[in-house]
Amino acid sequence: MKALIPTGDPAEPVVLADVPEPTPCSHEALVKVEAFSVNRGETFKLERPAPGERPGKDIAGLVVQPAADGSGPSRITRVVGHPMAGGWAEYVAVPTDALAELPDSVPAPQGAALPLAGLTASRLLRTAGPVLGRRILLTGASGGVGHYVTELAAAAGAWVTAVTRDAGRGARLAELGAVDVVHDVADAHGPYDVVLESTGGRALPLALARLAKRGTLIWFGQASRTPVTLDFFDFFAGPESAIIRHFHYLDADTRLNDDLAALVRLTAEGRLHPEIGRVADWADTARTLTDLRDRRIRGKAVLTLS
């Protein structure tokens, strides 16, 4: 079968190659991939790929071989899945607890845009706790996670301030429910009950300074790729007794397939709108990865298999 494999070359980070078709374990279904999405974090990993590494975590397709242990969807079932690797290929083996059925009303590109960003957003808000009436500051809001967080939090009754440098992306975040859109963390007023921080560098101390007393800052990324320096005494200037919490989307009590099914249901009902900035044939994956890395794509980028 054909699959995309890393090259280590920033100009052309992946190429199509012939690889063996996967042999599923007993708890895995074999899925024929119709579409997959790529994430900006994956572009960073491609800079120094591990030997034999096969990227790809977000897919939509058709189950062509159910799991041998009887779990999960049956044959010829449309699904969205979140394998830990190998999804940028014609076929991928996916654990059944990382699969959810995809109704005909949700196109494959929309389904493929859901897993990593959608799971991160929904689990991030669950970690934040009840958000009804609470003021939330969201940095790095113009990516795939940021669009989902904004729409989900606003629908749950939060007052969301979204930080994005791009005016066009800010307008879309306002459409999704952001009450305020600012182009720099320094322009956010606060105080905020919750800060969701994904940028790192200078942004995190600035965001922390806008946190309310005994508020919570959840740190879920470092898109700037710049280390953070915090001063203990800065807490006394406002965010006294605040909590700073590290977040990773796989550290959750709920199963992936349950949360995937919830995201699919909200999308099918028109209550969640995957923000897809590009849909292209998978022959264009290398250029798409470069554009995503360099922030030339808003929201998610999806590749389809012809």
Side-chain angles (χ1 to χ4, degrees):
M1 72 170 187
K2 296 290 186 182
L4 289 160
I5 60 172
T7 65
D9 179 0
E12 190 177 12
V14 293
V15 294
L16 271 174
D18 291 305
V19 301
E21 187 174 304
T23 302
C25 298
S26 63
H27 66 292
E28 294 178 329
L30 185 65
V31 178
K32 185 179 188 298
V33 178
E34 295 180 0
F36 60 83
S37 68
V38 296
N39 301 284
R40 192 161 182 266
E42 290 172 311
T43 69
F44 302 147
K45 291 189 67 177
L46 289 172
E47 294 173 3
R48 293 183 180 87
E53 184 174 21
R54 289 265 315 284
K57 292 187 174 184
D58 293 356
I59 64 101
L62 197 66
V63 172
V64 294
Q65 180 180 318
D69 66 3
S71 63
S74 60
R75 187 186 295 272
I76 316 301
T77 301
R78 295 182 77 237
V79 292
V80 56
H82 189 55
M84 289 298 103
W88 301 352
E90 291 181 301
Y91 295 90
V92 61
V94 187
T96 55
D97 63 1
L99 284 172
E101 293 194 22
L102 193 64
D104 291 339
S105 60
V106 180
Q110 277 197 326
L114 287 172
L116 181 58
L119 289 168
T120 300
S122 60
R123 292 180 168 199
L124 186 63
L125 289 172
R126 189 179 299 136
T127 300
V131 297
L132 178 63
R134 302 180 80 190
R135 290 169 57 87
I136 293 178
L137 176 65
L138 172 66
T139 67
S142 60
V145 174
H147 284 87
Y148 286 134
V149 168
T150 299
E151 186 168 21
L152 291 170
W159 290 70
V160 179
T161 295
V163 183
T164 176
R165 295 185 182 276
D166 186 280
R169 300 181 186 196
R172 177 56 178 156
L173 291 163
E175 291 175 0
L176 293 174
V179 175
D180 294 307
V181 176
V182 297
H183 302 308
D184 192 286
V185 182
D187 298 328
H189 297 296
Y192 297 96
D193 304 297
V194 177
V195 170
L196 305 176
E197 214 294 294
S198 65
T199 306
R202 64 179 285 275
L204 196 150
L206 288 171
L208 178 66
R210 285 147 180 79
L211 189 62
K213 185 176 182 178
R214 292 186 293 274
T216 299
L217 184 149
I218 303 175
W219 191 1
F220 70 100
Q222 192 161 299
S224 69
R225 309 181 77 181
T226 305
V228 173
T229 301
L230 295 177
D231 187 333
F232 173 82
F233 294 100
D234 286 345
F235 285 83
F236 295 102
E240 189 173 354
S241 300
I243 295 171
I244 296 179
R245 177 168 179 173
H246 172 264
F247 170 86
H248 183 230
Y249 80 105
L250 291 179
D251 181 21
D253 295 330
T254 53
R255 299 188 308 170
L256 288 172
N257 56 345
D258 292 334
D259 284 347
L260 280 173
L263 293 166
V264 169
R265 177 177 58 82
L266 290 171
T267 304
E269 293 173 355
R271 298 163 61 190
L272 185 66
H273 300 84
E275 190 70 15
I276 301 175
R278 178 180 299 175
V279 178
D281 186 88
W282 74 321
D284 199 34
T285 301
R287 184 176 69 89
T288 297
L289 286 166
T290 303
D291 288 345
L292 187 67
R293 180 194 65 204
D294 296 339
R295 299 185 182 278
R296 290 192 287 268
I297 298 174
R298 181 181 74 189
K300 299 289 295 179
V302 179
L303 290 307
T304 59
L305 277 66
S306 54

